[in-house]
Amino acid sequence: MKITILTLFPEMFTPLEKSIIGRAQNEGKVEIKAVNIRDYTEDKHLKCDDYPFGGGAGMVMTAQPIGSAVEALDPDHTARRIYLSPKGKRFCQEKVFELSALENILLLCGHYEGVDQRAIDLFFDEELSIGDYVLTGGELPAMVVADAVARYAEGVLSPESLVDESFSENLLEYPQYTRPVEYRGQRVPEILLSGDHAKIDSWRREQALAITKKNRPDLLK
């Protein structure tokens, strides 16, 4: 799986070089590359933004550097091209599964007051939002999408680790415990110490249902 990220701030993506996703990249299971949009601008001052037509606060990312970057990096449009934007469709686990089946994904990080609409209309397949709030840029959403999708690439995690997670079967995950058996007066539920896997599975499902009903009842509709 290859994930290319277009950004004005490629240095922000060093967290993806760490932990599980970093190890997956080192082992060649996933390729994640942050590309500086400024490398493709035709402006002699490396400028990639300008004032919005019609007035308004802030600056808007110009279309030319974005379009040139996309054409250079994905000339045959083999990648799913996604613009991270608060006005996009909500990113969810179903979308994670859809994207994880792809070989090539290209993400655009907006910044400032947004991106010239012509760049979006001409070069991108869809817009995604990670939630109903606004951030200073698309870098954090791009990291969220890259992490969520890359963990499903073959060999990144064991198949067992991907079972019974939150949002599996539209349920949130059940509580987890580890050693010691007792911590500050609170013990691990006895059922988890019983060795009866059928009863443990039943308890975990009951807990998942209860947590989902409490925190995300919308998932049960």
Side-chain angles (χ1 to χ4, degrees):
M1 173 182 290
K2 179 180 180 181
I3 302 175
T4 304
I5 303 169
L6 300 183
T7 174
L8 294 173
F9 304 96
E11 64 275 9
M12 289 185 65
F13 290 89
T14 54
L16 293 177
E17 299 171 5
K18 311 297 182 182
S19 189
I20 293 171
I21 302 302
R23 185 166 63 247
Q25 292 189 75
N26 291 335
E27 295 173 352
K29 296 169 182 174
V30 178
E31 178 185 349
I32 302 177
K33 183 178 181 181
V35 176
N36 195 332
I37 296 170
R38 295 186 194 279
D39 293 342
Y40 295 89
T41 182
E42 295 173 359
D43 183 86
K44 65 180 180 180
H45 302 295
L46 303 183
K47 193 176 179 183
C48 292
D49 62 322
D50 212 328
Y51 295 102
F53 281 123
M59 306 290 277
V60 175
M61 291 177 65
T62 53
Q64 178 274 311
I66 295 170
S68 295
V70 171
E71 289 177 327
L73 296 165
D74 184 35
D76 299 320
H77 202 155
T78 58
R80 176 75 64 84
R81 302 172 180 176
I82 300 169
Y83 170 45
L84 283 311
S85 163
K87 59 188 176 70
K89 293 182 179 179
R90 178 77 69 87
F91 184 60
C92 62
Q93 192 66 23
E94 183 179 356
K95 177 60 72 170
V96 173
F97 292 145
E98 177 187 330
L99 296 181
S100 66
L102 304 177
E103 290 294 323
N104 197 354
I105 300 169
L106 188 149
L107 305 176
L108 171 64
C109 305
H111 224 80
Y112 312 123
E113 294 302 314
V115 171
D116 189 310
Q117 185 65 38
R118 292 167 294 184
I120 301 168
D121 293 341
L122 288 169
F123 298 105
F124 287 86
D125 302 312
E126 61 181 313
E127 298 181 44
L128 288 181
S129 167
I130 64 167
D132 297 337
Y133 46 85
V134 180
L135 300 171
T136 56
E139 283 74 21
L140 292 176
M143 279 188 266
V144 168
V145 172
D147 185 284
V149 172
R151 64 196 298 274
Y152 282 90
E154 186 176 357
V156 174
L157 295 175
S158 67
E160 294 79 10
S161 297
L162 300 173
V163 177
D164 293 335
E165 293 186 305
S166 287
F167 305 109
S168 295
E169 300 180 352
N170 274 2
L171 296 177
L172 301 182
E173 191 175 11
Y174 48 77
Q176 298 278 13
Y177 298 88
T178 187
R179 293 182 176 85
V181 172
E182 185 173 332
Y183 174 69
R184 297 196 177 189
Q186 295 196 15
R187 286 181 57 82
V188 174
E190 292 299 327
I191 187 68
L192 299 179
L193 308 175
S194 68
D196 189 327
H197 294 292
K199 289 184 178 180
I200 290 173
D201 287 345
S202 177
W203 178 87
R204 284 175 168 169
R205 183 165 183 81
E206 290 173 2
Q207 293 294 311
L209 281 166
I211 291 170
T212 305
K213 184 176 181 180
K214 177 183 177 182
N215 295 338
R216 291 290 307 274
D218 57 296
L219 293 175
L220 298 175
K221 294 179 181 179

